[in-house]
Amino acid sequence: MGATTKKTEATGVDYSTLNVWAKLLGVRSEFYGAGAKKTGRNIHAEFMYFELVDIVPVAEELFAKYGLLLIPSFTETAAVAEVINIHDPGEKITFSIPLQFIAEPGKFRMNEVQGVGAVVTYYRRYLYMIVLDLVESDGIDGQKPSNDGEDTPPPAPKTTRKAPATPKERKEIKAQLTESEGQATELQISGLKTALKKLLELDPEQESLHRRRTYPVGTQPQHPPERPR
């Protein structure tokens, strides 16, 4: 009470005459100017946020200055914060957040007591943020998209049309086709067909070369054979 009276005398404002809404408005307007800094860092979404330790010391000093008391509590379904006017305890503002299960990160292992403490700390931070109307980066927009099997499927890979064979490529393939001497084996014939198919894919205009290499001179059929498939 003495601290509140001292602040009132120094500023010329009698905070005890203000209602709970006017007091909370004053606390909110002074919070950022009181030196609160964000020390938490979200390494995935790349933004800074208020840790509970960043908020409480600054907020409690302002609550004491204006004559307010914040009392957090928990029910089976909600986290609740009551802001009470200590000069008129009948005046209070109530804030609440629905309780939700918080999944434990896979790299951490906590016992039951530690798990309860983590939940309490988490919700206390958000209660203070609501009471003080603190602004942070949007927690939903800042998240990376999850892959739960129902997302839009990735686009099909782009196909690029092959360019016609260059003179150098045609020369290399021709050399491969004419290197062997004597009667070709079954393995050589299979390799020959593969090489011919590659050549036709690179440059369909080489059909005449395909006919000359597949059939000896004077034995070519009257109608050109089908291209290898």
Side-chain angles (χ1 to χ4, degrees):
M1 191 70 176
T4 303
T5 304
K6 183 177 180 181
K7 291 287 185 179
T8 301
E9 293 174 351
T11 60
V13 178
D14 185 1
Y15 298 118
S16 64
T17 63
L18 301 178
N19 60 39
V20 66
W21 296 276
K23 290 181 177 183
L24 181 57
L25 181 62
V27 170
R28 287 179 171 181
S29 65
E30 290 189 29
F31 181 82
Y32 279 105
K37 302 293 183 182
K38 298 179 180 180
T39 62
R41 178 183 293 276
N42 186 310
I43 60 175
H44 299 292
E46 299 181 351
F47 66 85
M48 301 295 294
Y49 63 89
F50 282 113
E51 295 274 14
L52 188 60
V53 69
D54 303 327
I55 300 172
V56 174
V58 178
E60 291 303 322
E61 183 176 348
L62 292 174
F63 286 151
K65 171 183 175 179
Y66 279 86
L68 293 176
L69 178 64
L70 187 150
I71 301 178
S73 62
F74 297 87
T75 69
E76 292 183 356
T77 59
V80 181
E82 288 187 333
V83 180
I84 301 172
N85 183 355
I86 62 175
H87 296 112
D88 185 0
E91 285 187 351
K92 63 181 180 181
I93 306 174
T94 302
F95 301 85
S96 65
I97 304 173
L99 286 178
Q100 298 289 336
F101 173 75
I102 302 176
E104 177 184 344
K107 64 180 180 179
F108 296 114
R109 291 292 178 268
M110 297 183 290
N111 59 43
E112 292 184 1
V113 176
Q114 290 174 321
V116 171
V119 172
V120 169
T121 299
Y122 187 87
Y123 277 104
R124 281 186 65 205
R125 183 170 76 90
Y126 277 99
L127 286 172
Y128 269 96
M129 289 180 62
I130 292 174
V131 169
L132 297 171
D133 197 25
L134 302 183
V135 178
E136 285 191 352
S137 204
D138 193 297
I140 296 177
D141 289 344
Q143 292 180 357
K144 291 185 176 181
S146 60
N147 185 10
D148 56 5
E150 298 181 357
D151 294 339
T152 303
K158 295 182 178 180
T159 57
T160 304
R161 187 175 180 180
K162 294 181 179 179
T166 63
K168 181 179 179 181
E169 289 173 332
R170 289 197 293 268
K171 184 177 181 181
E172 290 176 352
I173 295 176
K174 181 178 179 181
Q176 293 176 9
L177 299 177
T178 57
E179 281 178 355
S180 300
E181 296 181 358
Q183 185 65 31
T185 64
E186 291 295 329
L187 181 61
Q188 290 173 326
I189 293 173
S190 176
L192 178 62
K193 290 180 178 180
T194 301
L196 288 171
K197 182 178 180 181
K198 180 179 178 182
L199 177 60
L200 292 174
E201 288 178 351
L202 291 174
D203 190 353
E205 295 180 359
Q206 299 302 309
E207 178 71 34
S208 59
L209 176 61
H210 164 66
R211 293 199 304 271
R212 289 198 302 272
R213 297 306 176 189
T214 305
Y215 300 93
V217 176
T219 63
Q220 296 186 26
Q222 295 299 321
H223 300 284
E226 293 183 359
R227 297 180 183 176
R229 300 184 184 275

